Amino acid sequence: MTSSEWPPSRPVMGFNTWYQFRTNITESQVIRQAQLLVSSGLAAAGYNCVNLDDGWMAAERAANGELTGDAAKFPQGMAWLAGQVHALGLRFGIYTAIGTRTCQSLPGSWGHYDQDAKAFAAWGVDFVKVDDCGGLPEGTTLDTLTEHFRQFGACLRQYNPEVLYSQELPIHQIGRPSFLPAVRASAEFAHMWRVAHDEGPLTHDNASPMILGHLAADLPLHSFAGPGHWNDLDMVAPAFPASGWTMADLHSQLSVWAMEASPLLISADIGALPPAALAALKNPHMIALDQSGEQCSTVIMNGDIEALMKRDPAGGIAVLFVNLGTHTATGRFSLPQFGITSARASGYDVWTGNKATFSEVSVTLDAGQTMLMQIQPDEEEDEVALCG
Ligand code: GLA
């Protein structure tokens, strides 16, 4: 078993089966992905959790009410699989739903919270995602639903005090007055909760609107995020590269997720990730930003260009520039707008590695395009200022 902090105080990093495999998951494929996580270096970069999503369970519960794995897909059972994943030094995650059925109409946990929590703990499950679907009784209100999520979390913790609890309570409240109360409640009892819709359709054309839509949904929620509890924007690199996303799309997604301190759960076939995508996912600067312990809370605009900022653990300030308009546009910002008091500063592009020094920041981006930059006061000038 891995010795890293669990449950992590920072946004969890790992792998999830959903976008790549949907319900076509088997134990050999899961083990293959776990092995690839290790051999690709992703595990060493922090992606240390392997999560099954929907589709792992048998079509019906056993006669004694127990939830079991689909015997054709998981012939050796869930405890065995958890053991295999643990033997690789990784954590093991599983999925269920708060209602009677999952989003794929498989058995959910309604009426079985205690029983399922006990089974998951016995199997060695480290991470449980509870979806907001399926067959809730007539008359279920947000309050009662919230209580069910709270109660399920309590059961999970009772049998495994170290479990990471991920859930989707807010997702069906998006766009309603009940959204914020659902997020607020989630932050009290879960480690992460989904704040934006599923990603889709997964195409290049939809990548930028989806990523920027998720960003807009999450920006007002920064006060709910902090060590041990994070807003969840959904998985990263969904079915990449089959999705048709470009590297620029992937860079944009990782930039937004890192600024927003969202969990980073890769949902692609690790074996099919091109070297550039692997390098992007392992980018230490991006990971440090994601794991910095805070979600971005400051945004300024110049024309169509939005600049989001937060403290950069590597020094200075991280700024994500986003063109929210429909045409190529240039944004101009003064250094004091980023809290920098020196006359000159240096900028480092987190994705290209390009460096520049400047006395103001001028950024030109195509519609929907982003740029992630670390900006630091010019050191020489600081020295001059100190000596002078
Ligand atoms: C919902 C969730 C997804 C995924 C699917 C599985 O749509 O939001 O993340 O778990 O269910 O059916």
Side-chain angles (χ1 to χ4, degrees):
M1 182 91 76
T2 164
S3 59
S4 58
E5 177 196 32
W6 196 268
S9 64
R10 298 302 187 253
V12 70
M13 297 169 65
F15 167 85
N16 177 295
T17 52
W18 182 244
Y19 284 112
Q20 182 69 41
F21 300 103
R22 303 284 169 173
T23 54
N24 300 318
I25 42 175
T26 59
E27 67 187 22
S28 54
Q29 186 60 266
V30 172
I31 291 171
R32 177 167 173 266
Q33 294 301 320
Q35 288 166 341
L36 282 163
L37 216 53
V38 174
S39 61
S40 64
L42 284 166
Y47 298 87
N48 62 4
C49 187
V50 173
N51 296 345
L52 303 184
D53 208 278
D54 208 346
W56 64 267
M57 59 291 272
E60 297 302 335
R61 287 177 178 268
N64 63 0
E66 237 174 61
L67 195 56
T68 57
D70 180 316
K73 297 174 181 173
F74 298 93
Q76 316 211 51
M78 310 321 290
W80 177 85
L81 182 57
Q84 297 295 302
V85 172
H86 288 160
L88 288 164
L90 303 168
R91 301 285 176 169
F92 180 66
I94 221 162
Y95 164 102
T96 186
I98 200 76
T100 54
R101 292 275 147 189
T102 72
C103 296
Q104 301 302 312
S105 297
L106 290 161
S109 288
W110 179 262
H112 297 271
Y113 297 160
D114 188 83
Q115 186 175 23
D116 291 353
K118 198 172 176 181
F120 295 159
W123 298 345
V125 171
D126 305 294
F127 176 120
V128 180
K129 166 175 168 181
V130 180
D131 208 342
D132 186 8
C133 7
L136 288 159
E138 193 86 7
T140 301
T141 62
L142 178 68
D143 282 351
T144 52
L145 185 61
T146 303
E147 268 324 295
H148 291 311
F149 272 102
R150 192 190 300 275
Q151 209 183 81
F152 202 171
C155 292
L156 292 167
R157 264 185 280 266
Q158 183 190 328
Y159 293 106
N160 176 8
E162 297 193 338
V163 72
L164 191 161
Y165 183 28
S166 158
Q167 48 89 330
E168 297 206 2
L169 169 64
I171 206 164
H172 290 126
Q173 315 306 326
I174 292 173
R176 299 186 186 166
S178 45
F179 179 65
L180 277 184
V183 171
R184 184 175 299 116
S186 298
E188 286 168 12
F189 59 77
H191 295 97
M192 54 192 270
W193 51 89
R194 280 278 299 283
V195 297
H197 291 295
D198 288 9
E199 299 168 0
L202 292 178
T203 60
H204 164 66
D205 284 351
N206 190 51
S208 172
M210 188 283 288
I211 291 165
L212 300 188
H214 276 42
L215 171 61
D218 197 24
L219 273 175
L221 306 179
H222 57 86
S223 64
F224 301 108
H229 45 103
W230 302 103
N231 293 303
D232 175 11
L233 286 175
D234 205 6
M235 301 158 213
V236 294
F240 191 92
S243 57
W245 279 22
T246 62
M247 276 308 300
D249 296 331
L250 182 58
H251 286 162
S252 275
Q253 184 186 39
L254 294 173
S255 301
V256 168
W257 268 233
M259 289 301 285
E260 294 297 286
S262 175
L264 299 176
L265 293 171
I266 303 167
S267 197
D269 175 359
I270 309 288
L273 286 174
L278 272 178
L281 289 161
K282 286 193 254 178
N283 184 307
H285 206 139
M286 181 279 293
I287 292 175
L289 269 180
D290 180 71
Q291 304 282 301
S292 75
E294 57 176 345
Q295 178 175 327
C296 161
S297 62
T298 310
V299 183
I300 53 177
M301 294 282 300
N302 180 256
D304 281 340
I305 306 291
E306 183 183 46
L308 300 95
M309 50 186 120
K310 75 173 180 180
R311 184 184 55 82
D312 192 325
I317 186 150
V319 184
L320 176 65
F321 297 98
V322 182
N323 183 349
L324 294 179
T326 49
H327 301 285
T328 302
T330 299
R332 291 191 179 79
F333 301 89
S334 71
L335 295 179
Q337 284 183 285
F338 301 125
I340 291 176
T341 51
S342 57
R344 293 186 69 78
S346 51
Y348 171 80
D349 184 318
V350 170
W351 297 117
T352 64
N354 290 342
K355 288 181 187 150
T357 66
F358 36 67
S359 55
E360 61 161 24
V361 184
S362 170
V363 177
T364 300
L365 296 170
D366 290 340
Q369 206 188 359
T370 66
M371 176 192 260
L372 181 59
M373 198 188 272
Q374 175 199 21
I375 304 181
Q376 286 184 289
D378 200 304
E379 276 173 21
E380 276 174 32
E381 222 173 275
D382 268 0
E383 277 169 23
V384 172
L386 281 175
C387 298

